[in-house]
Amino acid sequence: MDSDLSIISMHLLGALAAGGIIGMERSIHARPAGFRTHTLVCLASSLLMLVTLYQWKWLPGVPMDTIRTDPTRMAQGIMTGIGFLGAGVIFKEGLSIRGLTTAASIWITAAIGILMGIGFYLPAILATVLTLGVLSAFRWIELRLPSQVYAHHALRFDRDDVMSEADVREFLEQHGFSVANISYRITDDGAFFEYRMVIRTTTPENTVKLAEALRSMPRLRTFRISPSGD
């Protein structure tokens, strides 16, 4: 009995440590699911796998050769349930989608908890280290990779004083942007004409410069620049 308690304690403490380490990285970056969330996810996954691992403890008097439970079904149930929790941290902020990386980190934390629960310590520890590497080191690499920045852009003019589309495209090109797609709209009251478009650039600093240039245009009634992100 003492030996079983020691093993169970090792499984749970290992899950507690792994989940806490990953969650701490998320908390440092002010993510919606942080230290406590990841710790509880990993601990719960380990605990549920222990239920399967020690099924003979909670089925007393039943011969083991008569039990035909599949331990992988518990793992499948855990990962399915974690999907709902992961979806809860994905949210729309303006026109951007946030929380995808945090949802992925919750999912991998649950997997690590499963490994801790069945006593696969080496792969669980390796997975923890690799996860921290992806969340930390890969962030540094990602920031230095050449990539295009997209933004949702809207311009509003008086209906009788509209800047031509050709001039709009030329103006954006002068500030380092190209137009990915464009749509047109007249407001419900018929007083204004709007361009709505998705623009892109390889230099994020161009967004500030574009906003300053648009602010100085007297014929422009309103504008909006909403950078999109993962």
Side-chain angles (χ1 to χ4, degrees), residues 35-215:
F35 181 69
R36 291 183 298 170
T37 302
H38 283 75
T39 302
L40 289 174
V41 165
C42 199
L43 186 61
S45 299
S46 179
L47 191 61
L48 289 171
M49 287 308 296
L50 284 172
V51 170
T52 302
L53 198 64
Y54 286 88
Q55 54 188 302
W56 52 274
K57 287 285 189 180
W58 48 273
L59 291 172
V62 179
M64 286 302 297
D65 58 356
T66 64
I67 301 174
R68 294 291 184 268
T69 59
D70 182 2
T72 63
R73 296 187 66 180
M74 177 65 79
Q76 294 169 4
I78 292 170
M79 299 312 288
T80 300
I82 290 301
F84 292 98
L85 182 60
V89 301
I90 301 174
F91 60 96
K92 189 175 182 181
E93 186 180 76
L95 294 172
S96 301
I97 305 299
R98 306 290 181 183
L100 293 173
T101 302
T102 299
S105 68
I106 290 175
W107 195 57
I108 188 65
T109 300
I112 292 171
I114 291 172
L115 292 176
M116 288 290 187
I118 60 177
F120 281 14
Y121 294 116
L122 183 58
I125 293 171
L126 181 59
T128 302
V129 173
L130 292 175
T131 301
L132 288 174
V134 170
L135 293 175
S136 301
F138 278 34
R139 180 194 304 274
W140 182 86
I141 296 172
E142 188 176 41
L143 290 174
R144 284 155 180 78
L145 288 174
S147 61
Q148 290 187 330
V149 178
Y150 286 81
H152 294 265
H153 185 36
L155 301 171
R156 174 179 287 191
F157 298 92
D158 288 331
R159 187 172 180 177
D160 57 356
D161 186 22
V162 179
M163 189 175 182
S164 69
E165 181 181 340
D167 289 342
V168 169
R169 289 179 179 271
E170 183 180 355
F171 178 82
L172 291 171
E173 288 174 3
Q174 290 173 355
H175 291 85
F177 285 89
S178 61
V179 178
N181 59 66
I182 187 169
S183 61
Y184 318 91
R185 175 177 179 266
I186 293 178
T187 56
D188 294 336
D189 58 9
F192 301 101
F193 179 87
E194 291 183 350
Y195 291 108
R196 294 185 177 185
M197 64 197 85
V198 175
I199 56 177
R200 59 190 171 212
T201 181
T202 56
T203 308
E205 292 77 13
N206 286 342
T207 305
V208 177
K209 297 177 182 178
L210 176 61
E212 292 175 351
L214 291 171
R215 193 169 55 184

